[in-house]
Amino acid sequence: ELKVEQNPLFLSMQEGKNYTIYCNYSTTSDRLYWYRQDPGKSLESLFVLLSNGAVKQEGRLMASLDTKARLSTLHITAAVHDLSATYFCAVVGDKIIFGKGTRLHILP
Amino acid sequence: EAGVVQSPRYKIIEKKQPVAFWCNPISGHNTLYWYRQNLGQGPELLIRYENEEAVDDSQLPKDRFSAERLKGVDSTLKIQPAELGDSAVYLCASSPRQGSIWGTEAFFGQGTRLTVV
């Protein structure tokens, strides 16, 4: 059974700092998605990672996938307050399984 | 292009009452998902449709939950009777095709926030 673990679950950081969110999963998969969710809103797709070694960047966010380690990372560079949200990874096995989410709070 | 449309946005009902949610996926999307998201948690799959066929309903509590996707387009999710523990946000999502080699992600609707009192 596919299990997905994110860490940390909560993260409070200062603007301007860098940090990384980790997504580990338990069985073989070569497709992983990152989503953002603002409070009371639905999920917004950020990145689709389709193969080992895939790296995608959008603004201050960069996502990567290591299928051999069963690990994806979401790196935040020089955080700004607007990036405060909950970030979910979702892994595709025989179904799409979501992690519990990382609640990110960026202090101005 | 319109996204995934869900209604209602909010619903408050008393326990033991029935409730239904409606979803209109993105035009042309064959795959439709219903997820439940409890407060502070990630979405959990309830059921997945490929066109009108429910191909994965292993997580759907079949004693009280039912779903249908007639004609492979719109879908409804019903709970009867509702229990206090059913309070959650119910999300509908669609994607062009689950097995697509392009690996397109699921696009989510705004969700229906259900409160059972």
Side-chain angles (χ1 to χ4, degrees):
Chain A
E1 181 186 338
L2 175 60
K3 294 188 189 302
V4 179
E5 279 192 16
Q6 280 183 244
N7 68 83
L9 296 181
F10 300 96
L11 177 57
S12 182
M13 56 193 290
Q14 295 283 341
E15 276 193 329
K17 299 290 188 183
N18 304 331
Y19 210 81
T20 300
I21 299 170
Y22 298 89
C23 176
N24 292 273
Y25 54 97
S26 60
T27 64
T28 302
S29 175
D30 60 1
R31 277 188 287 162
L32 188 143
Y33 310 136
W34 283 96
Y35 286 89
R36 167 181 173 149
Q37 187 176 39
D38 292 292
K41 305 290 186 182
S42 192
L43 285 86
E44 173 192 354
S45 178
L46 293 175
F47 299 110
V48 178
L49 302 170
L50 297 178
S51 61
N52 186 40
V55 177
K56 291 200 174 177
Q57 183 163 5
E58 180 74 32
R60 300 174 187 274
L61 300 178
M62 183 173 71
S64 65
L65 178 61
D66 181 343
T67 59
K68 294 179 181 177
R70 298 177 185 170
L71 171 68
S72 179
T73 60
L74 180 65
H75 186 73
I76 303 151
T77 302
V80 294
H81 181 66
D82 285 352
L83 291 178
S84 296
T86 300
Y87 293 86
F88 293 95
C89 65
V91 181
V92 179
D94 55 350
K95 60 188 71 173
I96 302 174
I97 304 294
F98 282 79
K100 290 186 183 298
T102 296
R103 190 173 300 176
L104 177 63
H105 182 51
I106 298 170
L107 304 169
Chain B
E1 179 184 320
V4 177
V5 178
Q6 290 187 248
S7 68
R9 289 292 312 279
Y10 305 93
K11 190 74 176 178
I12 301 174
I13 61 169
E14 294 183 344
K15 62 182 180 181
K16 300 185 183 179
Q17 294 302 304
V19 65
F21 314 124
W22 176 79
C23 173
N24 187 354
I26 294 172
S27 177
H29 281 195
N30 299 325
T31 306
L32 184 146
Y33 311 83
W34 282 103
Y35 282 89
R36 176 170 58 191
Q37 186 177 22
N38 292 308
L39 189 64
Q41 301 292 316
E44 296 176 320
L45 180 68
L46 292 174
I47 190 167
R48 172 169 66 91
Y49 283 92
E50 295 290 341
N51 299 305
E52 65 273 11
E53 182 183 358
V55 295
D56 183 356
D57 63 356
S58 57
Q59 305 276 68
L60 191 72
K62 297 182 183 62
D63 56 336
R64 298 183 299 106
F65 285 65
S66 64
E68 61 181 14
R69 191 185 184 195
L70 301 175
K71 300 181 182 178
V73 182
D74 294 3
S75 178
T76 56
L77 177 68
K78 298 178 182 177
I79 308 174
Q80 182 170 10
E83 297 179 351
L84 294 177
D86 295 332
S87 295
V89 175
Y90 291 82
L91 294 164
C92 179
S94 71
S95 64
R97 189 156 47 115
Q98 169 81 351
S100 169
I101 61 172
W102 304 110
T104 53
E105 71 274 35
F107 296 86
F108 284 81
Q110 294 280 75
T112 297
R113 185 178 297 273
L114 173 67
T115 303
V116 182
V117 298

